[in-house]
Amino acid sequence: MVIVFSFGNLWCGKMTLESIRKLLVDLAVDDISDAVQTELDAGTDPKDILSALTKGMDEVGRLYEKMEYYLTELILAGETMKEAIKVLQPRLKSGEKGENQTIIIATVKGDNHDIGKNILASMLMTSGFNIIDLGTNVDEKRIVKAVKESGAKVLALSSLLSMTAPEIAVIDKALKDAGIRKKIKMIVGGAPLNMELAKKLGADDYADDAIVGVKHIKQLMSFG
Ligand code: B12
């Protein structure tokens, strides 16, 4: 009897996470918050909900590539994700404390995607870090200025477009030219990147999601 009950729960949990992924793909901007809240109330791990939402976004990206979705759908997907994140964000804690260290975060020049960056920023905030969020479409001059003025130990950059990934190398060079590259560790993330490319572009580290990103940033913080 107990076994049947547990299987039932497991099945239901998977079904509702699947329905959250589907609500995102269906661009259900008015229904997603309630669905996320219901899932949280049922005790589902917020990280699993984030993962279901991200899978939904990946599917939207695929539909866009296949030209079944267009820019309007991408925009609506962004709005739907933001509604979901409003409910989810306060529950996305990463556990350990960041002892008030400062991190600069930005999306690189030419890129206006900010959902992933904002998730990372709020997870870092709930971990006790001071966050200087420079926003999107940020050029190397603003980054150099912020590094000089803040004394931050980590620079976290987001790039979602293949076209804008080379901006990471531009920022690396600008920091070197300003003589401050060794003062800061640079971690990057976003769909077109991987560890190998990140290193080629001059970054110190890469993470493929915000949860792993927070862990890596804590490791980077312990440098000399
Ligand atoms: C929503 C969306 C949009 C929205 C963005 C809304 C917003 N405010 O951000 C809008 C409609 C504005 C948009 C516009 C465009 N988009 Co768009 N978009 C997407 C979509 C569907 C989802 C992105 C997203 O928010 N994902 C959810 C979040 C949670 O995931 P994430 O950003 O990847 O972040 C996670 C990790 O990557 C990581 N992470 C992210 N940053 C960082 C940083 C660090 C330091 C670390 C450690 C981790 C980390 O942690 C996050 C959470 O776990 C993607 C497809 C996809 N699957 O990525 C296409 C996608 C990125 N877009 C694409 C394109 C082509 C465009 C446009 C050029 C379309 C156009 N014709 O105009 C424009 C570009 C505008 C510009 N200059 O920036 C392409 C890019 C292709 C490429 N390889 O270059 C994609 C991949 C779609 C596709 N498959 O073709 N887009």
Side-chain angles (χ1 to χ4, degrees):
M1 190 61 191
V2 174
I3 293 169
V4 172
F5 179 71
S6 337
F7 275 150
N9 265 358
L10 188 66
W11 184 76
C12 281
K14 276 196 180 148
M15 280 309 287
T16 41
L17 280 176
E18 167 55 22
S19 66
I20 283 189
R21 187 200 68 82
K22 196 169 177 307
L23 280 174
L24 193 59
V25 179
D26 292 344
L27 315 169
V29 67
D30 295 328
D31 300 328
I32 196 93
S33 319
D34 285 349
V36 171
Q37 190 60 58
T38 306
E39 197 66 14
L40 284 171
D41 293 344
T44 305
D45 187 333
K47 289 172 186 165
D48 291 338
I49 302 177
L50 177 61
S51 167
L53 290 164
T54 306
K55 280 183 192 149
M57 279 304 219
D58 289 345
E59 179 61 17
V60 169
R62 276 193 288 276
L63 291 167
Y64 177 78
E65 272 171 15
K66 287 200 281 178
M67 294 175 77
E68 287 177 35
Y69 273 8
Y70 295 91
L71 192 54
T72 317
E73 282 82 7
L74 277 193
I75 294 168
L76 259 176
E79 294 307 313
T80 309
M81 185 77 174
K82 280 184 184 169
E83 288 303 312
I85 295 301
K86 270 189 217 162
V87 182
L88 196 59
Q89 212 150 50
R91 303 284 294 275
L92 278 173
K93 296 203 173 120
S94 63
E96 306 141 57
K97 288 287 160 203
E99 293 159 10
N100 272 333
Q101 308 255 35
T102 300
I103 296 167
I104 298 171
I105 188 163
T107 302
V108 300
K109 189 168 109 186
D111 191 338
N112 290 322
H113 293 83
D114 66 357
I115 297 171
K117 169 186 76 61
N118 293 346
I119 293 174
L120 180 65
S122 63
M123 288 189 70
L124 289 167
M125 257 185 256
T126 59
S127 291
F129 291 104
N130 298 323
I131 302 300
I132 300 175
D133 187 346
L134 299 178
T136 60
N137 191 21
V138 180
D139 69 17
E140 71 282 8
K141 290 190 196 106
R142 283 185 60 205
I143 299 220
V144 168
K145 188 167 179 278
V147 173
K148 278 184 180 164
E149 288 171 358
S150 66
K153 280 181 116 184
V154 170
L155 170 64
L157 296 173
S158 191
S159 172
L160 270 275
L161 299 171
S162 310
M163 222 174 63
T164 60
E167 283 301 317
I168 294 164
V170 174
I171 291 164
D172 176 55
K173 182 175 182 305
L175 289 168
K176 280 178 181 149
D177 291 349
I180 51 175
R181 179 65 184 88
K182 289 201 174 120
K183 291 193 170 170
I184 196 146
K185 291 283 177 189
M186 183 156 82
I187 179 166
V188 297
L193 300 167
N194 53 49
M195 187 63 88
E196 198 190 344
L197 180 57
K199 297 248 161 126
K200 262 190 199 154
L201 293 168
D204 299 297
D205 202 356
Y206 159 84
D208 67 353
D209 76 34
I211 295 157
V212 179
V214 172
K215 281 190 194 142
H216 283 213
I217 286 170
K218 284 177 178 161
Q219 284 159 10
L220 289 174
M221 278 292 176
S222 58
F223 83 103

